[in-house]
Amino acid sequence: MALDAWQGQVKSTDNLFNKLSDEQMMQEVSPSRNRGIYLLGHLIAVHDMMLPLLFLGESQYKELHPIFVDSPDKSTPNLPSVAELRAKWTAQVENMSKLFAGLTPDEWFTRHASITAEDFAAQPHRNRLNVVLVRTIHLSNHRGQLEFLLPKG
Amino acid sequence: MALDAWQGQVKSTDNLFNKLSDEQMMQEVSPSRNRGIYLLGHLIAVHDMMLPLLFLGESQYKELHPIFVDSPDKSTPNLPSVAELRAKWTAQVENMSKLFAGLTPDEWFTRHASITAEDFAAQPHRNRLNVVLVRTIHLSNHRGQLEFLLPKG
């Protein structure tokens, strides 16, 4: 169920990005708020950080973390282009989908990398599946904002 | 995990509503988009519809469904006041929290009211807990939009 919800949100967000032109992606989602390009980079970076957290390998796009996680929008002079970010988003969706499909149900209920085995014994809900659940909610939060880049109606 | 996620999103949204004045709630979250008051009513109405869907009783606020689910914002001349809606939101949060706490884990994995017993046999993920998961994501989507009612920074 949680994995279906994740895939559903990723798919809806992907559809939304496909509807938005590079020009629309350079707009703020609402006056003085984040631009589409920033939220795209932010989602890639946050999802990238899930890989080590889920014990699924190294981050692939470490260079995006300082720009799109540690810094707010409009504070970095030279952002990667929308086209570059779109390519990374697409590659990442495919890669994560494969990696997720490789985990067994039991593996999803094992600990993630930010909790020690000792703490996990007392807090078994802090498992890998819960990371996906929390990130699904995060994705939905930003997707609601990105929708404002589409023309009204 | 899914119930924690629901409670977390409800709590964050409740905190956000408490930070927003009635005046701010009358603003559009972004130019030409829904107003805060509409999204508040929409969330109450959508959550209200969860009660029969989860076999937890009748809807309590049926009068809100045509205004906040079937109709878009700014199409109904006489909306309930923000104060009225806030009171309903608060009562609903308390009521649903009690009702949810009353279900056992096994009960969460039984079918919801929109699926027949026959279909559920083949699609066991369409259970009551999944309704909560889907509504949590819906709530997060609108919470991301409601955040724009707060002053920037």
Side-chain angles (χ1 to χ4, degrees):
Chain A
M1 277 155 45
L3 294 173
D4 282 353
W6 164 261
Q7 290 293 358
Q9 285 303 303
V10 167
K11 182 94 190 92
S12 302
T13 310
D14 192 52
N15 290 343
L16 177 56
F17 285 139
N18 289 336
K19 276 189 219 154
L20 293 167
S21 67
D22 288 5
E23 223 166 62
Q24 284 171 314
M25 289 293 287
M26 295 307 294
Q27 307 300 311
E28 293 170 335
V29 298
S30 189
S32 326
R33 305 290 169 168
N34 292 324
R35 289 172 298 169
I37 186 174
Y38 181 84
L39 288 176
L40 170 56
H42 176 68
L43 291 172
I44 298 169
V46 167
H47 296 173
D48 190 45
M49 294 162 105
M50 290 169 74
L51 296 183
L53 195 56
L54 295 172
F55 297 112
L56 290 175
E58 288 289 305
S59 288
Q60 306 284 304
Y61 307 118
K62 285 208 177 90
E63 72 284 4
L64 302 183
H65 302 188
I67 311 177
F68 294 109
V69 179
D70 307 333
S71 318
D73 192 13
K74 290 159 262 179
S75 65
T76 308
N78 295 309
L79 289 189
S81 70
V82 175
E84 261 176 274
L85 290 173
R86 285 185 195 275
K88 285 182 173 148
W89 165 264
T90 303
Q92 182 183 56
V93 166
E94 198 175 323
N95 182 44
M96 288 181 80
S97 167
K98 268 187 215 154
L99 290 170
F100 282 17
L103 287 181
T104 64
D106 282 353
E107 284 171 331
W108 279 112
F109 288 98
T110 57
R111 74 179 175 93
H112 61 67
S114 297
I115 182 168
T116 63
E118 293 71 45
D119 287 348
F120 183 64
Q123 299 172 295
H125 64 280
R126 296 178 62 185
N127 53 48
R128 298 203 267 187
L129 193 61
N130 201 43
V131 170
V132 174
L133 179 56
V134 170
R135 290 301 180 279
T136 303
I137 293 169
H138 172 261
L139 174 54
S140 174
N141 185 293
H142 288 306
R143 190 170 65 81
Q145 301 173 335
L146 283 161
E147 278 164 14
F148 293 160
L149 291 173
L150 288 173
K152 170 92 174 108
Chain B
M1 277 156 44
L3 294 172
D4 282 354
W6 163 262
Q7 290 292 357
Q9 285 304 305
V10 167
K11 182 95 190 90
S12 300
T13 310
D14 191 53
N15 289 344
L16 177 56
F17 285 139
N18 288 336
K19 276 188 220 156
L20 293 167
S21 68
D22 288 4
E23 224 166 60
Q24 285 172 312
M25 290 293 288
M26 294 308 292
Q27 307 299 312
E28 293 171 336
V29 297
S30 189
S32 325
R33 305 290 170 167
N34 292 324
R35 290 173 297 170
I37 185 175
Y38 180 84
L39 287 176
L40 170 56
H42 176 69
L43 291 172
I44 298 169
V46 168
H47 296 172
D48 190 43
M49 294 162 106
M50 290 169 74
L51 296 183
L53 194 56
L54 294 172
F55 297 112
L56 290 175
E58 289 290 305
S59 287
Q60 307 284 304
Y61 307 118
K62 285 207 177 91
E63 72 285 3
L64 302 184
H65 302 187
I67 312 177
F68 294 109
V69 179
D70 307 332
S71 318
D73 192 13
K74 289 159 263 180
S75 64
T76 308
N78 295 310
L79 289 189
S81 70
V82 175
E84 261 175 274
L85 290 172
R86 284 186 196 276
K88 284 181 174 149
W89 165 264
T90 303
Q92 181 183 58
V93 166
E94 199 175 323
N95 182 42
M96 289 181 80
S97 167
K98 268 187 215 152
L99 290 170
F100 283 15
L103 286 182
T104 65
D106 281 353
E107 284 172 330
W108 279 112
F109 287 99
T110 57
R111 75 179 174 93
H112 61 66
S114 297
I115 182 168
T116 62
E118 292 71 43
D119 288 346
F120 183 63
Q123 299 172 295
H125 63 280
R126 296 177 63 184
N127 53 50
R128 298 204 265 188
L129 193 61
N130 201 42
V131 170
V132 174
L133 180 56
V134 170
R135 291 300 180 276
T136 303
I137 292 169
H138 172 261
L139 174 54
S140 174
N141 185 293
H142 289 306
R143 190 170 65 80
Q145 301 173 335
L146 283 161
E147 278 165 13
F148 292 160
L149 292 173
L150 288 173
K152 169 91 175 108

